[in-house]
């Protein structure tokens, strides 16, 4: 039901290969267990790039041979024994005792929460879209217990955003299971963590320097500029609407950050083209909302 691949007739049904098992095992710092590392194959027409969305999410077209492929599901690993999940490289990096102890104490809760949201996920076979989403959720919960020295907040921001995308993919494959609702939940989590990332970075309690790729997707690293843009976009699309004064103030802050970060109104050859274009579009949309609010008498809160 959640299969990633189509079948090819070669005398008998056979799945075209999308991934392979690396010869190098992953060592889990919690349970000291070695487990297999599944990696995605590339080439041979597996990945047919499509549009880039306003959320900086690269879409892919299905191929006749391989069907629909979801590169995101291969970006995290999960230990099948203790169900801790990280970006692959963090299994080597995260080793401080306080973090390890906190993760060990959280094993049962972590497994229960994820199984309630993505039932019947498995961690030992070739992963499906459902398994990939479950692993991302395990990673989101795992990074909650990780020391700030490993920059867990921005990782939770990116993982939450990717979870929203994966839930939208699940909704398209198996509609009617509330994955569209889950996507909205994860979008709002992403907004919170992106906001907290910039607060922590500016107050110097958490450095982004330890994260090599800020994504948010796997096809391109948009770096710090991407963080500024993504926060503004998420605030615009998924920010709270109960307190309109607070919302307008937040949107105005995002507008100013985008203008400063991208030098809007000036020529810039240093910023990535697609990101600059999308930032200009977002700037115009936020400006329109603020202008319309001003016309009907809404004022931004002067608190703080």
């Amino acid at each position: 039901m959640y299969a990633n691949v189509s079948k090819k007739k070669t005398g008998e049904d056979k799945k075209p290969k999308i991934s392979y098992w690396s010869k190098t095992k992953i060592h889990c710092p919690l349970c000291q267990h070695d487990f297999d590392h599944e990696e995605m194959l590339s080439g041979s027409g597996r990945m047919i790039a499509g549009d880039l969305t306003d959320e900086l999410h690269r879409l892919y077209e299905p191929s006749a041979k391989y069907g629909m492929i979801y590169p995101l599901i291969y970006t995290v690993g999960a230990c099948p024994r203790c169900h801790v999940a990280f970006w692959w490289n963090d299994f080597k990096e995260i080793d401080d005792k306080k973090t390890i102890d906190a993760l060990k104490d959280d094993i049962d809760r972590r497994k229960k929460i994820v199984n309630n949201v993505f039932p019947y996920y498995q961690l030992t076979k070739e992963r499906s879209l459902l398994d990939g989403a479950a692993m991302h959720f395990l990673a989101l919960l795992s990074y909650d217990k990780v020391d700030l020295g490993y920059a867990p907040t921005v990782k939770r921001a990116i993982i939450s955003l990717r979870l929203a995308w994966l839930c939208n993919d699940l909704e398209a494959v198996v509609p009617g299971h509330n994955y569209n609702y889950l996507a909205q939940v994860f979008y709002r989590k992403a907004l919170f963590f992106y906001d907290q990332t910039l607060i922590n970075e500016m107050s110097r309690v958490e450095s982004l320097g330890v994260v090599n790729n800020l994504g948010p997707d796997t096809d391109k690293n948009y770096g710090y500029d991407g963080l500024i843009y993504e926060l503004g976009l998420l605030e615009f699309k998924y920010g709270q609407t109960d307190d309109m004064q607070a919302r307008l103030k937040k949107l105005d802050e995002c507008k100013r950050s985008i203008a400063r970060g991208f030098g809007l109104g000036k020529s810039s050859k240093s910023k990535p083209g697609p990101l600059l274009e999308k930032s200009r579009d977002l700037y115009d949309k936020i400006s329109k909302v603020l202008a319309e609010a001003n016309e009907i008498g809404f004022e931004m809160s002067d608190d703080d």
Side-chain angles (χ1 to χ4, degrees):
M1 171 160 116
Y2 297 104
N4 284 341
V5 294
S6 58
K7 290 187 176 181
K8 177 184 176 184
K9 286 287 184 180
T10 55
E12 59 181 11
D13 286 340
K14 183 179 179 181
K15 293 181 179 180
K17 286 185 70 64
I18 291 175
S19 64
Y20 68 98
W21 300 105
S22 172
K23 293 180 180 179
T24 303
K25 301 272 189 178
I26 301 297
H27 183 71
C28 177
L30 265 70
C31 64
Q32 305 301 312
H33 172 66
D34 290 341
F35 64 95
D36 292 323
H37 180 183
E38 184 182 9
E39 297 193 66
M40 182 180 167
L41 289 162
S42 60
S44 301
R46 288 181 178 83
M47 297 172 64
I48 304 174
D51 294 334
L52 181 70
T53 72
D54 63 342
E55 296 168 4
L56 305 180
H57 177 33
R58 176 64 65 187
L59 303 178
Y60 292 91
E61 303 294 335
S63 71
K65 181 177 181 179
Y66 298 98
M68 184 64 77
I69 291 179
Y70 306 96
L72 282 178
I73 69 175
Y74 301 96
T75 59
V76 299
C79 175
R81 180 170 293 184
C82 63
H83 291 236
V84 68
F86 298 131
W87 286 348
W88 291 107
N89 194 56
D90 276 341
F91 281 98
K92 295 182 291 185
E93 299 294 329
I94 296 175
D95 59 2
D96 70 285
K97 186 177 186 303
K98 182 178 178 181
T99 292
I100 298 303
D101 288 345
L103 287 165
K104 285 180 179 178
D105 292 341
D106 198 49
I107 291 175
D108 290 339
R109 186 188 75 94
R110 188 163 59 242
K111 291 168 62 174
K112 181 178 180 180
I113 291 174
V114 176
N115 193 62
N116 285 340
V117 178
F118 299 106
Y120 312 117
Y121 73 90
Q122 57 82 32
L123 302 177
T124 58
K125 299 179 181 179
E126 292 181 356
R127 64 191 69 189
S128 68
L129 178 57
L130 178 74
D131 301 328
M135 291 181 195
H136 273 72
F137 196 16
L138 283 171
L140 183 64
L141 297 174
S142 296
Y143 280 115
D144 181 44
K145 304 299 181 181
V146 170
D147 185 84
L148 291 180
Y150 300 102
T153 308
V154 70
K155 292 172 184 176
R156 297 186 81 194
I158 296 169
I159 288 168
S160 295
L161 184 58
R162 291 179 178 181
L163 261 170
W165 296 339
L166 291 172
C167 285
N168 283 331
D169 289 334
L170 280 167
E171 180 66 23
V173 174
V174 282
H177 290 75
N178 294 321
Y179 290 120
N180 54 344
Y181 170 79
L182 273 176
Q184 297 299 308
V185 171
F186 289 124
Y187 274 128
R188 288 176 172 83
K189 283 185 177 293
L191 170 57
F192 171 81
F193 288 123
Y194 269 106
D195 192 30
Q196 193 62 48
T197 291
L198 293 178
I199 291 172
N200 289 359
E201 196 271 339
M202 287 186 290
S203 60
R204 299 186 179 183
V205 299
E206 188 174 4
S207 172
L208 300 177
V210 299
V211 184
N212 294 325
N213 192 330
L214 295 173
D217 209 333
T218 59
D219 68 318
K220 188 174 180 64
N221 178 16
Y222 286 100
Y224 190 79
D225 293 331
L227 291 183
I228 298 296
Y229 168 80
E230 203 70 62
L231 174 58
L233 181 75
L234 292 171
E235 187 66 53
F236 177 72
K237 294 176 69 173
Y238 306 107
Q240 65 84 26
T241 56
D242 294 333
D243 185 339
M244 286 305 299
Q245 283 190 330
R247 173 168 172 77
L248 294 172
K249 181 180 180 182
K250 196 70 176 179
L251 287 176
D252 186 62
E253 291 172 356
C254 291
K255 174 186 168 182
R256 293 173 187 273
S257 295
I258 292 168
R260 287 194 303 270
F262 293 90
L264 299 185
K266 305 175 183 178
S267 61
S268 174
K269 297 181 180 179
S270 64
K271 306 297 182 183
L275 182 55
L276 182 58
E277 293 171 8
K278 292 183 184 300
S279 297
R280 284 174 174 157
D281 182 60
L282 177 59
Y283 180 90
D284 291 341
K285 288 178 178 177
I286 293 177
S287 297
K288 183 179 179 182
V289 169
L290 294 174
E292 290 175 348
N294 185 59
E295 287 179 3
I296 61 175
F298 268 111
E299 295 181 0
M300 288 174 284
S301 171
D302 292 325
D303 295 341
D304 312 45

